[in-house]
Each structure stands twice: as structure tokens, then as C-alpha cells.
Amino acid sequence: MKKFITILFLTFLCLGLKAQNVKTSTIQWSSIRTIDGSKGENKDEVTTLTNFSTTRFEWTNEDGSLRKTYQIIEVVGNWTNAATPGSLTFEVTDGTSSGTITIRKDDNQNTNVLMVIGTDPQITELTIQSLQAL
């Protein structure tokens, strides 16, 4: 019985090590669609949004060129495992405009990112296909 409990404990420990805390990890979110909510436009395109823990976001094009950088001012929420449903909202600035970036995964494993930036807000939604911890 003691051996069984030890094996069970080690199994759960290993599973926990694979969990990526969205708030404290560097995670690359790969998107297949960009929705411009301000203009009502839908565009199938590959982009990547990488959050570097609680410091910044980099949004890049498929070819790796930088699209936009956002500095993180504050993080609201606590999502401890990117493999499970949850959400976090990051208060951000690009040096000129401020806003929020919200990353959300629902119970059906659908993940999206909603960026609302500026006083006359630019609203952008990314449909996430996959994520990778860096």
C-alpha cells in the first residue's frame, strides 16, 4: 500500500510540473484568425502572441516580424494551468495607448485573446490554435 501511495504521489507531482502558470510563465499563443472588432473584419492569418510572464507581450506575424509590443502594468486574476479552463486580464500599454489583453480558455478547450487598446478602443480578437511554453 505504501508503494502504491508513493507511485500515486509521484504521478501527480509529474503532472503538476507540466502545468504552465499563465501568470508566471512565458507562453507563446499561436493564432489562426484575427478579428478586428472595430471594423467588423475577419482575417485568416497566422500570428503569435507571446506573454513574457508579467513583463510584456510581443505580437508577431507568421514570418516572425514584430507587429506590436505591450508592456504589462498589472495582472488581474490567477490562472495556474494553461491546460485547463481559465482566464487572466493584463492591463497593458504600448507607450502611447493603454488597455487590456484578456486570455480565456473555456470548458470546450476553445481559447481566445481579446485586446482592447486606446480610448477610442481598437478591439482585436485572436482565435488561438495552440500554445507552447518557452
Side-chain angles (χ1 to χ4, degrees), residues 43-87:
K43 187 175 185 182
D44 290 335
E45 65 176 346
V46 176
T47 64
T48 301
L49 185 70
T50 305
N51 70 293
F52 295 86
S53 183
T54 58
T55 59
R56 74 183 187 285
F57 280 94
E58 289 181 359
W59 188 18
T60 56
N61 295 308
E62 185 174 16
D63 65 2
S65 60
L66 186 63
R67 196 173 212 170
K68 196 78 170 169
T69 299
Y70 300 99
Q71 299 302 314
I72 297 172
I73 300 166
E74 187 175 350
V75 184
V76 179
N78 191 26
W79 185 10
T80 58
N81 185 351
T84 63
S87 69

Side-chain angles (χ1 to χ4, degrees), residues 78-125:
N78 191 26
W79 185 10
T80 58
N81 185 351
T84 63
S87 69
L88 270 182
T89 297
F90 299 83
E91 293 180 14
V92 298
T93 183
D94 64 4
T96 305
S97 299
S98 297
T100 61
I101 296 177
T102 300
I103 304 172
R104 179 182 327 266
K105 179 182 269 189
D106 66 21
D107 290 334
N108 295 322
Q109 300 300 303
N110 298 316
T111 305
N112 65 13
V113 175
L114 183 64
M115 298 185 282
V116 181
I117 309 296
T119 53
D120 184 20
Q122 171 66 37
I123 301 168
T124 306
E125 183 175 343

